[in-house]
Amino acid sequence: MEQYFEYIYRTSLQSNSLLVLQQYCTKFMAKSPEKVFKSLDFTSLPENSLISLIKRDDLQMKEIEIWEHVLRWGLEKNPTILSDLTTWSDDDFNMMGNTLQNCLPLVRFFSFSSEDFFQKVRPYKKLLNRQLYEELLESYLNPNSEPNDNILLPRYRNADGIIDSKIINLNIVSLISRWIDNDIKSKFAYTRELYLPYEFKLLLRGSKDGFTPKKFHKLCDNVPHTVTFIKIKETEEIIGGYNPLEWKSSGGYYKTKDSFIFSFKSKNNFKDPILSHVENMNYALYCHAEYGPAFGAYDININVSEDDDSQEYDNLLSMQQYYEKKIRDIEDFSIEDYEVFQIIKKNNK
């Protein structure tokens, strides 16, 4: 079935009695697109089949690879056009543009890296709408330009082996990873292809392990490079922070210049997050047996008011003190759930 996938898929579309086969083919294309694109008969896919594939948000393939396969498909439909771009005339560009006119709007050009844009898209700029190309160019050259609301977001990627979370998705994981690596170059960061160099290893989930300082310190102490995510009760808001050091059960304030805190409006609204770096690094982190993960003095503070680390958190505040920005308007909050992860470079596993 894989070897002759295009034939099977095309046949399945010819009869409503083959709905189960159609569903199988659709799921197969999304999960294993490389087997479709690398098949010998890929270029003979009808246009509607190619469109149904590349429009999917869950297509498990890098955007640059999708673009290259779309070009390959277009060339197959125009055998008089050579693959060597330097030989293309204006008529060749017009022919390819007409062939790909329904495919081009589905390619997520803003997801490309700057290198791929320069090397793989810029040479084909005559295929693109002029306004789109100018917006793309500005997104890579002007870090202060504002993205418009019509940009297609990066495709969903399989989270297996990256993170197991009830609170966040891979888009937020990608942004956190960029912040850790100081890889934010513009306001278009959330539109770029997902940046996933780390595995996020779950250490604690409040809804499973409890909401007490005792459990936090048991599961999270002496572990370097952790990220905390807190979902606030009765809202979709997510706040949290990155600790490059280790949490301890005692010791007071800990010094680092690399910690930061953040907030997102919700799991699926990550376009305008608030990122706040530590300003006074002498008070970056606070460690105490009766506190959970605490950043600054009260920038993010979760602890128990009684002298009992087995009690659930009942004193929760977020107010700007030692970090550069205020991450939420209302200072006090309640936890719906929270998770703490250790981040591990994938090539160091």
Side-chain angles (χ1 to χ4, degrees):
M1 290 181 71
E2 292 180 9
Q3 186 176 357
Y4 299 100
F5 175 79
E6 185 273 333
Y7 171 74
I8 292 170
Y9 178 53
R10 185 167 10 183
T11 302
S12 75
L13 297 174
Q14 295 174 3
S15 172
N16 288 332
S17 65
L18 297 175
L19 289 177
V20 174
L21 186 59
Q22 289 177 29
Q23 292 169 359
Y24 166 82
C25 290
T26 301
K27 290 180 180 178
F28 175 80
M29 287 193 295
K31 292 181 179 179
S32 304
E34 71 283 351
K35 294 181 180 178
V36 180
F37 282 121
K38 292 179 181 178
S39 66
L40 294 176
D41 49 10
F42 154 70
T43 51
S44 64
L45 272 176
E47 183 184 43
N48 63 341
S49 296
L50 178 63
I51 288 173
S52 69
L53 178 59
I54 65 174
K55 74 190 300 183
R56 293 181 65 99
D57 286 331
D58 59 348
L59 182 58
Q60 300 294 304
M61 179 172 274
K62 291 183 176 181
E63 204 65 32
I64 184 61
E65 296 173 345
I66 295 171
W67 170 234
E68 290 173 337
H69 286 301
V70 166
L71 288 174
R72 177 181 153 215
W73 182 87
L75 283 170
E76 184 68 21
K77 302 303 176 188
N78 294 281
T80 60
I81 301 178
L82 301 178
S83 59
D84 183 358
L85 186 64
T86 61
T87 67
W88 286 23
S89 64
D90 287 343
D91 286 341
D92 292 335
F93 275 104
N94 288 333
M95 288 172 60
M96 277 288 282
N98 289 332
T99 299
L100 300 178
Q101 60 181 319
N102 295 319
C103 296
L104 292 175
L106 302 175
V107 178
R108 308 188 182 194
F109 291 105
F110 286 92
S111 292
F112 289 15
S113 68
S114 57
E115 292 82 4
D116 283 338
F117 170 75
F118 183 79
Q119 296 175 6
K120 303 293 180 66
V121 177
R122 185 186 57 86
Y124 293 93
K125 66 180 180 179
K126 289 183 179 181
L127 294 178
L128 304 183
N129 172 280
R130 180 175 295 179
Q131 182 180 347
L132 170 62
Y133 182 76
E134 289 300 319
E135 289 178 356
L136 277 168
L137 193 62
E138 183 175 13
S139 80
Y140 289 101
L141 297 180
N142 181 4
N144 296 316
S145 62
E146 294 284 348
N148 66 54
D149 294 331
N150 299 321
I151 295 175
L152 292 173
L153 297 179
R155 300 176 197 271
Y156 305 144
R157 293 276 293 277
N158 191 334
D160 292 348
I162 298 174
I163 193 167
D164 170 21
S165 175
K166 305 294 185 184
I167 298 178
I168 64 167
N169 56 25
L170 286 186
N171 299 90
I172 291 178
V173 168
S174 175
L175 282 173
I176 296 293
S177 299
R178 289 187 186 278
W179 292 341
I180 291 170
D181 287 352
N182 196 25
D183 189 42
I184 294 292
K185 297 180 176 66
S186 76
K187 296 180 180 180
F188 286 82
Y190 72 88
T191 72
R192 304 303 189 213
E193 192 156 57
L194 297 181
Y195 179 74
L196 304 170
Y198 299 105
E199 172 193 350
F200 282 58
K201 179 184 177 183
L202 182 64
L203 302 176
L204 176 151
R205 176 175 293 138
S207 55
K208 176 173 68 75
D209 302 307
F211 297 87
T212 67
K214 183 176 182 178
K215 183 61 73 169
F216 165 71
H217 288 291
K218 178 180 179 182
L219 297 176
C220 303
D221 275 5
N222 305 312
V223 178
H225 307 294
T226 58
V227 181
T228 299
F229 298 100
I230 301 169
K231 184 175 183 183
I232 295 177
K233 188 177 290 186
E234 298 178 353
T235 77
E236 295 297 314
E237 188 181 358
I238 298 165
I239 66 173
Y242 168 62
N243 175 9
L245 308 179
E246 299 176 357
W247 294 112
K248 303 287 185 180
S249 295
S250 63
Y253 288 104
Y254 282 79
K255 177 181 178 179
T256 176
K257 62 180 177 58
D258 296 322
S259 63
F260 56 80
I261 58 176
F262 52 80
S263 66
F264 294 90
K265 292 182 176 65
S266 73
K267 177 179 182 177
N268 295 311
N269 187 349
F270 44 81
K271 292 183 179 181
D272 297 303
I274 298 174
L275 169 63
S276 180
H277 290 280
V278 64
E279 276 194 323
N280 190 332
M281 63 181 182
N282 293 315
Y283 299 94
L285 307 160
Y286 186 74
C287 296
H288 192 282
E290 289 153 20
Y291 281 67
F295 296 83
Y298 295 104
D299 296 87
I300 294 182
N301 182 321
I302 60 175
N303 68 300
V304 292
S305 55
E306 297 183 15
D307 187 15
D308 185 353
D309 63 4
S310 63
Q311 294 292 315
E312 291 195 352
Y313 302 120
D314 61 359
N315 188 27
L316 305 102
L317 291 171
S318 177
M319 52 191 292
Q320 182 188 4
Q321 284 199 313
Y322 297 126
Y323 284 74
E324 61 184 358
K325 296 177 185 176
K326 186 177 183 178
I327 61 169
R328 68 187 313 264
D329 293 329
I330 302 173
E331 292 179 355
D332 60 330
F333 62 90
S334 299
I335 292 181
E336 178 179 322
D337 204 353
Y338 84 119
E339 297 171 336
V340 181
F341 297 88
Q342 180 187 23
I343 64 162
I344 305 169
K345 258 300 192 192
K346 287 181 182 178
N347 59 7
N348 289 340
K349 288 174 59 179

